[in-house]
Amino acid sequence: MPTAFQSPSHTEPMPRHVAIIMDGNGRWAQGRGLPRTAGHEKGAEAVRETVRHARRLGLECLTLFAFSTLNWQRPTSEVRDLMDLLERFLVDELPEMLQNGIRLVAIGERELLPAKVRTRLEETEARTAHGKDMTLVLAVSYDGRRDLVRAARQIAELARRGELLPADVDEAQLASVLSTADLPDVDLLVRTSGEKRLSGFLPFEACYAELHFTPIHWPDFGAEALDASIAEFARRHRRFGMTGEQAAALG
Ligand code: IPE
Ligand code: IPE
Ligand code: MG
């Protein structure tokens, strides 16, 4: 069952795993008469600030939805700008990730990414693999249903080889073949910019997540907004199917 731990800097229960759908870069820019790319550039700064703050708070895991499978449909020039930005981000942030004990993990169909981005992601994963203080997950070219389909194929292949029986497939086994294997369940899922949908994000992993929708556009997100989301989480009563009294008795 998912648990919550007490952060040294918080007296309220802290989520172990926060996942964010970083939305609204385009609208942020368009509202200022700027090209969409300017919103993505400012969005990268918001990522930096949010990661820094999450690390300061002692969060165990932060997952950021950076680019969905559906986003490949965007104009070629926007996709190229986003890929360039991602590559630059990985280069610029590596020293701070190493210094702060951050382990980077990428989820999504990396084989679809331009070679230079894929290489950079894999280098960053390898260089930061020993980071013990926070896991930063970047969902890039990610779609939760596609990840489930890939996992189902992997299970079918294990069964075909006689390495697995149908009865061996349970929640833990399925979780172990998803790209998020070894990560805790998502406790808090945040979406910025006022949209209230999941857009394919972590359907299995966020099955019992608290949802927080904020009207803030992603480029304006940062330490204060993350604190507000976590404060909202602390006010929720997670009953896990029990009565309020039962849940309270368990603490
Ligand atoms: C989020 O902002 C960034 C990505 C999806 C890559 P958007 O680019 O979706 O911004 P809006 O929703 O058009 O405002
Ligand atoms: C979801 O945002 C994906 C990311 C934040 C990377 P979108 O802006 O692409 O989602 P839709 O199209 O509004 O559902
Ligand atoms: Mg959007």
Side-chain angles (χ1 to χ4, degrees):
M1 184 178 296
T3 51
F5 75 102
Q6 300 287 332
S7 147
S9 52
H10 273 69
T11 49
E12 298 298 327
M14 276 278 288
R16 289 179 67 190
H17 186 172
V18 176
I20 309 182
I21 302 175
M22 308 185 289
D23 199 11
N25 293 354
R27 279 163 285 167
W28 181 91
Q30 281 159 345
R32 286 165 175 73
L34 298 168
R36 294 177 59 85
T37 298
H40 297 317
E41 300 263 354
K42 189 76 172 34
E45 281 175 40
V47 172
R48 204 165 292 134
E49 184 181 334
T50 304
V51 171
R52 246 179 226 161
H53 193 58
R55 169 68 183 79
R56 258 198 311 267
L57 291 175
L59 203 68
E60 184 178 332
C61 185
L62 175 69
T63 298
L64 301 175
F65 203 178
F67 190 88
S68 74
T69 302
L70 292 170
N71 290 148
W72 290 114
Q73 301 173 95
R74 293 197 179 187
T76 318
S77 60
E78 180 167 343
V79 170
R80 195 194 48 227
D81 289 345
L82 283 165
M83 293 297 147
D84 289 350
L85 193 58
L86 174 59
E87 199 209 348
R88 223 177 325 132
F89 177 85
L90 292 168
V91 173
D92 293 348
E93 297 308 302
L94 180 64
E96 196 169 321
M97 284 193 255
L98 290 171
Q99 199 183 334
N100 288 332
I102 294 176
R103 174 174 78 112
L104 183 111
V105 172
I107 59 171
E109 294 175 295
R110 58 181 73 192
E111 59 282 4
L112 300 181
L113 297 170
K116 61 169 190 173
V117 175
R118 180 178 176 172
T119 305
R120 185 70 66 191
L121 266 179
E122 291 177 351
E123 273 175 22
T124 312
E125 285 180 316
R127 293 280 307 275
T128 63
H130 299 295
K132 293 211 180 338
D133 295 316
M134 186 173 91
T135 300
L136 172 62
V137 184
L138 286 186
V140 191
S141 190
Y142 175 83
D143 174 78
R145 280 205 291 207
R146 289 175 81 122
D147 200 39
L148 280 163
V149 168
R150 191 197 46 72
R153 285 189 185 148
Q154 199 174 322
I155 291 172
E157 179 58 23
L158 289 170
R160 190 185 67 82
R161 286 198 245 131
E163 293 171 21
L164 191 77
L165 292 171
D168 295 332
V169 182
D170 58 12
E171 290 92 329
Q173 199 281 330
L174 176 51
S176 76
V177 287
L178 288 174
S179 60
T180 48
D182 304 326
L183 302 175
D185 283 344
V186 175
D187 298 306
L188 171 64
L189 191 149
V190 178
R191 184 170 188 147
T192 60
S193 87
E195 306 299 343
K196 297 186 179 68
R197 60 177 166 274
L198 297 177
S199 302
F201 197 37
L202 303 171
F204 183 88
E205 301 84 344
C207 203
Y208 200 86
E210 295 297 326
L211 308 179
H212 183 232
F213 300 107
T214 166
I216 299 173
H217 289 318
W218 177 253
D220 289 328
F221 201 88
E224 206 181 310
L226 182 60
D227 280 341
S229 298
I230 291 175
E232 170 67 25
F233 174 85
R235 286 192 291 272
R236 303 276 176 92
H237 297 289
R238 309 184 88 200
R239 291 183 284 276
F240 298 104
M242 295 177 281
T243 66
E245 290 73 18
Q246 288 174 306
L250 281 179

